[in-house]
Amino acid sequence: LIMIMSQRTTASMLQLNKLTQLRANVMEQHKQILNKLANNYKTQFKRLLKEKKSVILMMAKFHDTMEKISESEKNIYAQCLHSESSQSSASSASTSMIEVLN
């Protein structure tokens, strides 16, 4: 009876050792998978931050360009008004000269 009990205890201990080793293997694999996921998320997050910065810079450049275009339009409009008033002044001056000559 003692011999049978000793064999069963030994068999149980061997099974327990196998289960413990399997558990350790599973835990190690789980740890590796979590590390890979964390690294992937970190990489994606950094990439998204770079893309966000790039988009913000493009938006700022676009805004600056639009401001420059608007300023140019104002200058062109002012030049047109000045040109029209100069032409109008020249036209009225020539009309006055003709009247004086007559």
Side-chain angles (χ1 to χ4, degrees), residues 13-97:
M13 290 299 285
L14 288 173
Q15 284 181 335
L16 181 61
N17 284 342
K18 285 180 183 177
L19 288 174
T20 302
Q21 186 60 44
L22 284 173
R23 183 177 181 271
N25 290 344
V26 167
M27 293 296 284
E28 182 61 31
Q29 288 174 354
H30 187 210
K31 180 180 168 185
Q32 289 174 2
I33 289 169
L34 287 177
N35 283 336
K36 284 180 184 177
L37 283 173
N39 288 335
N40 286 343
Y41 283 126
K42 193 185 308 180
T43 302
Q44 288 178 0
F45 186 72
K46 286 179 182 178
R47 183 181 51 80
L48 287 173
L49 279 179
K50 286 179 184 176
E51 288 177 6
K52 180 182 175 186
K53 287 178 187 176
S54 174
V55 168
I56 289 172
L57 287 174
M58 286 190 318
M59 288 174 63
K61 286 179 183 177
F62 176 76
H63 181 72
D64 288 346
T65 303
M66 292 305 291
E67 283 183 348
K68 287 176 185 174
I69 289 171
S70 178
E71 193 62 36
S72 294
E73 287 175 341
K74 287 178 189 174
N75 290 338
I76 291 169
Y77 183 69
Q79 288 174 357
C80 287
L81 286 178
H82 180 70
S83 175
E84 285 178 6
S85 67
S86 295
Q87 287 176 356
S88 175
S89 296
S91 174
S92 64
S94 65
T95 304
S96 297
M97 288 291 280

